[in-house]
Amino acid sequence: MSDLPQKRVLFSTQKAFASRLTLATLTGRPIRISNIRPSSPSNLGVAPHEISLLRLLDAVTNGSVIEVSMTGTIVDYRPGLITGSAPGSGASGGVLRHEVPAACTRGVSYFLIPLCLLAPFSKAPMNVLFTGPGVITSATPAGDISVDSVRTAILPLYAKFGILKDIELRILRRSNPGTRGKGGAGEVQLVFGHQVRLPKTLHLLNPGRVKKIRGVAYCTGVPASNNARMIEAARGVLNPMGADIYVFSDVSSAPYIPSNDKANPNGKTKTGLGFGLSLVAESSTGCLYSADVASPPSGGTPPEDIGQQCAHQLLEFVAAGGAVSLVAAPTILTLMTMSSEDVGRVQLGKDVLSADHIIDLGRDMKALGLSSWGFREATTGQDNDIVVSVVGKGVGNVGRKIA
């Protein structure tokens, strides 16, 4: 490997902030992201969740250099070696604690999905505990999926790349978005102990037919009857489509946070109240489609509307076609790019492939020196399906190669 410094790749705006940092860390390319909310009068520069993500990347890597300008509108990132929860990296007892600030408006899946992409290429197993007043385990208005969907619709996809051992995602304390959508005080632990040199090449060309639907209805600090009402409303939509439907009900108490009341400095108040529904449809060939809806922070939405909306959303994702849903497509395409130097193929629906964040992902990969994608019309599945061919770069796990 050459000792010459690599040229910095330039990006603009906060769009795909987490994805660009993840790709830079996987490829080892230094990047600069500029024009981050330059004209915002109240939220100039990087947001609290973006700062928290930078701190998380700094914690799970060794030798990373992160520089943020005085105004916060420019971020320079030079990635280091992915070490995970290795001894000496800040982990205590093999567990790395990451505290999310109270001002965070994004769900914890905003941190989990990039972390899961980095974990297979880590030098040591990844064991991260997300805690603090800003952890939101449910779906959020910003578009983040719930932890349940990450566990049931994202993590199982890693088995298709030969990554399937010692992977666990635990929800230790549930929470919904708090006041004005900020904070939730939940607690989540990710254990990712399967590290590989190179992921296997993927060939996923047969979507199959949906054979079963599973789900989780959850409520935090509100009556358990909300779960039953959501499940009944969702079943009213899904029952005509198939008989194998089971939705688990999870009821938990609301977490407490300090009230910050001067009259009662030791007082605490409830936060993270709400309810939501996560549904996952599995096809006969093992393809997964997920949907997620949670009650808004402002309230006022009945559980029946949440259940029906989630069921209709699931049917829309299935109708979009392809072997991968819109939520999981970035994970699949990124792992295909990082796999061995062979051509992998995956079948996607046109609506999935034409989504803005998928197009941005392809452009960012090309800017970082990764392979471009090839397209052809699919011969199976729906008429509007496209087969995407991706040539793996064989970058793989640098830390494992050194060790």
Side-chain angles (χ1 to χ4, degrees):
M1 184 179 293
S2 175
D3 294 330
L4 294 175
Q6 291 180 303
K7 187 177 180 182
R8 195 163 44 192
V9 181
L10 305 180
F11 295 109
S12 182
T13 76
Q14 71 279 4
K15 196 175 183 182
F17 187 84
S19 174
R20 287 167 174 172
L21 291 175
T22 304
L23 291 174
T25 307
L26 290 173
T27 58
R29 295 288 302 274
I31 64 171
R32 165 175 282 191
I33 304 176
S34 58
N35 293 325
I36 302 175
R37 302 181 187 88
S39 57
S40 175
S42 57
N43 299 309
L44 183 69
V46 288
H49 59 270
E50 293 164 347
I51 289 290
S52 185
L53 178 62
L54 289 171
R55 288 175 175 164
L56 177 62
L57 292 176
D58 185 49
V60 299
T61 59
N62 181 26
S64 295
V65 179
I66 302 171
E67 297 178 359
V68 183
S69 65
M70 290 292 292
T71 58
T73 57
I74 300 175
V75 173
D76 284 319
Y77 177 59
R78 184 177 295 276
L81 183 68
I82 307 171
T83 55
S85 302
S89 63
S92 176
V95 179
L96 187 66
R97 293 177 62 91
H98 180 70
E99 185 164 340
V100 182
C104 182
T105 58
R106 303 298 297 263
V108 73
S109 60
Y110 176 82
F111 308 97
L112 285 173
I113 293 176
L115 198 62
C116 289
L117 284 171
L118 299 180
F121 308 100
S122 174
K123 186 177 180 180
M126 196 83 74
N127 192 339
V128 180
L129 176 65
F130 292 89
T131 184
V135 177
I136 303 172
T137 64
S138 70
T140 64
D144 301 307
I145 62 175
S146 67
V147 179
D148 296 284
S149 290
V150 176
R151 178 174 53 85
T152 57
I154 301 294
L155 289 182
L157 298 175
Y158 284 79
K160 299 183 184 298
F161 295 90
I163 307 168
L164 67 164
K165 296 184 297 183
D166 301 326
I167 302 174
E168 189 176 358
L169 184 56
R170 307 168 186 157
I171 305 176
L172 305 180
R173 186 166 61 234
R174 286 191 178 274
S175 64
N176 279 60
T179 307
R180 296 186 299 276
K182 294 182 180 180
E187 198 165 289
V188 175
Q189 185 174 11
L190 173 67
V191 180
F192 207 118
H194 193 173
Q195 281 65 48
V196 296
R197 173 67 186 94
L198 284 172
K200 293 181 179 178
T201 303
L202 177 69
H203 296 280
L204 190 58
L205 301 174
N206 185 8
R209 291 183 176 273
V210 173
K211 65 175 183 177
K212 65 180 180 181
I213 297 174
R214 298 291 182 264
V216 178
Y218 53 87
C219 63
T220 308
V222 295
S225 60
N226 290 296
N227 281 357
R229 293 163 65 184
M230 283 188 294
I231 293 172
E232 184 178 1
R235 276 187 167 275
V237 177
L238 297 175
N239 277 346
M241 311 297 172
D244 191 2
I245 301 173
Y246 181 78
V247 183
F248 175 74
S249 176
D250 188 0
V251 181
S252 59
S253 58
Y256 286 85
I257 59 172
S259 61
N260 296 325
D261 187 2
K262 293 182 179 179
N264 185 14
N266 295 324
K268 292 188 177 181
T269 182
K270 288 183 178 180
T271 188
L273 305 176
F275 50 85
L277 180 62
S278 168
L279 294 174
V280 177
E282 183 178 350
S283 75
S284 55
T285 56
C287 300
L288 300 173
Y289 309 89
S290 65
D292 239 316
V293 180
S295 58
S298 57
T301 303
E304 290 81 5
D305 289 357
I306 298 295
Q308 291 179 358
Q309 186 179 346
C310 190
H312 285 123
Q313 188 182 99
L314 180 66
L315 295 178
E316 288 178 5
F317 286 150
V318 173
V324 180
S325 68
L326 181 63
V327 171
T331 297
I332 290 289
L333 292 169
T334 302
L335 288 174
M336 290 175 69
T337 305
M338 298 300 296
S339 62
S340 57
E341 297 183 54
D342 197 358
V343 180
R345 296 176 178 87
V346 63
Q347 188 165 319
L348 299 178
K350 279 187 178 178
D351 291 339
V352 174
L353 193 57
S354 61
D356 290 343
H357 68 280
I358 301 297
I359 296 173
D360 291 336
L361 177 65
R363 290 171 176 168
D364 292 344
M365 285 182 175
K366 186 175 181 181
L368 287 165
L370 298 175
S371 56
S372 301
W373 304 339
F375 307 101
R376 65 175 174 84
E377 292 188 358
T379 56
T380 60
Q382 300 186 20
D383 294 336
N384 59 347
D385 283 0
I386 300 293
V387 174
V388 182
S389 302
V390 182
V391 180
K393 293 296 288 184
V395 177
N397 190 334
V398 179
R400 179 172 286 267
K401 184 166 60 175
I402 293 173

